[in-house]
Amino acid sequence: MVWKILAVVALITLPVSVTFWRKSHKKPEMYRWDVAADKSLRVFLRNGTCGFRLLSMPDPSPLESAFRGPLAYDPSPKNRRFVLSSTRSGPYRITWFVFPFWLPTLALTSLGAIPVIRGPVRRSWRRSRGLCEECGYNLQGNRSGRCSECGTRFR
Ligand SMILES: [Zn+2]
């Protein structure tokens, strides 16, 4: 049941991930939010990569409204596609989180496929070990053709 709920959620969010993936290629953009007076968050989408950069300042500064603008350069550190780091630069702390969009897309696709492939995989695993496909009861020595636990026919 849990897997089915997760799969439904994954299949709903999958198009969102794919949409941002495409958008990052067609129209690279950078967003900025001042999440607190001393914390500024930048989010960028570019060439299949999503990046978050959180700047923590020692003193509060006036909040700036969010803006978005086209992005002509690669802002991630050393142009890397996957970054998870937090470094100090003088009184500032910069936290980076960069990941490629195929990562969440692959994760959501796999999550969505689990309930579909789980049943057949489990059945063939049980069959190969001489267990009932339905309930996993050991069928060795059983000549009746029916599982004595759940009544499922087997060959
Ligand atoms: Zn059975």
Side-chain angles (χ1 to χ4, degrees):
M1 191 61 191
V2 176
W3 285 115
K4 284 189 181 157
I5 294 168
L6 282 175
V8 169
V9 173
L11 292 176
I12 291 168
T13 39
L14 183 58
V16 178
S17 180
V18 174
T19 302
F20 277 107
W21 190 354
R22 289 195 49 197
K23 192 174 152 61
S24 74
H25 280 285
K26 285 168 70 180
K27 204 163 153 245
E29 274 181 329
M30 170 102 88
Y31 305 80
R32 172 184 167 166
W33 287 287
D34 286 350
V35 288
D38 60 346
K39 280 187 172 50
S40 178
L41 179 70
R42 277 164 203 251
V43 182
F44 75 87
L45 304 172
R46 183 181 157 82
N47 295 347
T49 304
C50 180
F52 294 86
R53 173 184 172 277
L54 183 70
L55 176 69
S56 302
M57 293 163 277
D59 303 306
S61 66
L63 290 174
E64 238 179 279
S65 56
F67 71 86
R68 46 190 275 187
L71 189 60
Y73 64 99
D74 187 346
S76 64
K78 295 175 190 149
N79 300 350
R80 272 155 60 198
R81 304 273 280 165
F82 190 89
V83 184
L84 184 58
S85 71
S86 187
T87 51
R88 202 160 248 299
S89 168
Y92 299 96
R93 172 166 286 283
I94 300 167
T95 307
W96 273 103
F97 179 43
V98 181
F99 61 89
F101 268 113
W102 58 257
L103 208 65
T105 305
L106 183 71
L108 291 172
T109 308
S110 323
L111 209 54
I114 283 175
V116 181
I117 56 171
R118 216 157 78 103
V121 167
R122 185 167 50 196
R123 275 198 288 279
S124 79
W125 186 86
R126 284 176 173 169
R127 195 164 45 233
S128 71
R129 275 158 189 76
L131 309 174
C132 171
E133 288 183 22
E134 288 305 315
C135 70
Y137 190 75
N138 195 333
L139 299 174
Q140 270 164 19
N142 186 325
R143 302 263 173 275
S144 68
R146 268 180 188 280
C147 171
S148 53
E149 189 69 16
C150 70
T152 306
R153 286 179 181 281
F154 68 90
R155 280 165 283 136

